[in-house]
């Protein structure tokens, strides 16, 4: 997901050519400096917007949204680029369908959240130990289960704790089945954030800041 905010309009370019070299460079320098000063404010506004719309558990997700100023082309005005370093962050902006690339379905953890890598390791360990099996519940859902046995107390500690909390029970008996995840063919995600709108909301403030930086130039 990339959102580019640029002041490089045809009218601005024509005006810069009329102004000439020295003054043109003064304008370019002033605009670049102002955008660099305002970039963090834009970045903070975007991160605040995302935090207000999503239940973010890891700060690294919010920190992935960054605003950077690009000023490499001497013939063009600088540009402010707002983007996310998280490759899949854009699906929260546009919505979409997530499906397995191999067509085998997706395992979605039940009763709480768990990191992707940690969840993968847990499932692999249960399968290697022969303590992972699928059942179909009354609603027709395919559920990955594991048995509450001593050998897997450590790996099942998280799922058991979350399941007890969801089921309202204080203790699970030995041998009881613990639901781990649900197997689904795909996941439909709706649009939940509007980073484009959050960036555009900052444009009036950017315009005022740039206008102030240009006052007095060339006089």
């Amino acid at each position: 997901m990339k959102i580019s905010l640029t002041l490089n309009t045809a009218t601005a370019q024509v005006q810069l050519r009329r102004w000439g070299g020295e003054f043109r460079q003064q304008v370019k320098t002033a605009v670049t400096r102002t955008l660099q000063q305002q970039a963090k404010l834009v970045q903070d506004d975007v991160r605040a917007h995302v935090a207000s719309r999503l239940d973010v558990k890891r700060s690294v997700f919010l920190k992935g949204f960054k605003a950077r100023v690009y000023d490499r082309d001497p013939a063009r005005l600088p540009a402010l680029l707002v983007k996310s370093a998280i490759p899949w962050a854009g699906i929260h902006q546009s919505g979409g369908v997530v499906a397995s690339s191999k067509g085998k379905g997706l395992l979605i953890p039940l009763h709480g959240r768990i990191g992707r890598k940690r969840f993968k390791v847990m499932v692999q360990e249960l399968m290697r130990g022969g303590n992972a099996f699928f059942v179909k519940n009354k609603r027709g859902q395919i559920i990955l289960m594991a048995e509450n046995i001593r050998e897997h107390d450590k790996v099942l500690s998280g799922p058991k704790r979350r399941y007890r909390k969801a089921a309202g029970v204080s203790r699970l008996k030995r041998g009881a089945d613990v639901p781990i995840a649900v197997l689904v063919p795909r996941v439909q995600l709706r649009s939940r954030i509007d980073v484009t709108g959050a960036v555009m909301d900052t444009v009036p403030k950017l315009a005022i800041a740039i206008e102030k930086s240009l006052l007095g130039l060339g006089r």
Side-chain angles (χ1 to χ4, degrees), residues 7-19 77:
L7 299 178
N8 184 27
T9 64
T11 303
Q13 289 299 315
V14 171
Q15 188 62 53
L16 280 178
R17 286 193 291 270
R18 290 175 181 171
W19 282 336
L77 284 169

Side-chain angles (χ1 to χ4, degrees), residues 24-37 78 209-210 213-215 217:
R24 175 179 177 177
Q25 185 57 46
Q26 291 177 8
V27 170
K28 193 170 185 294
T29 300
V31 172
T32 300
R33 182 171 57 249
T34 302
L35 287 181
Q36 289 171 340
Q37 294 169 347
I210 291 172
S213 73
L214 297 179
L215 289 176
L217 288 182

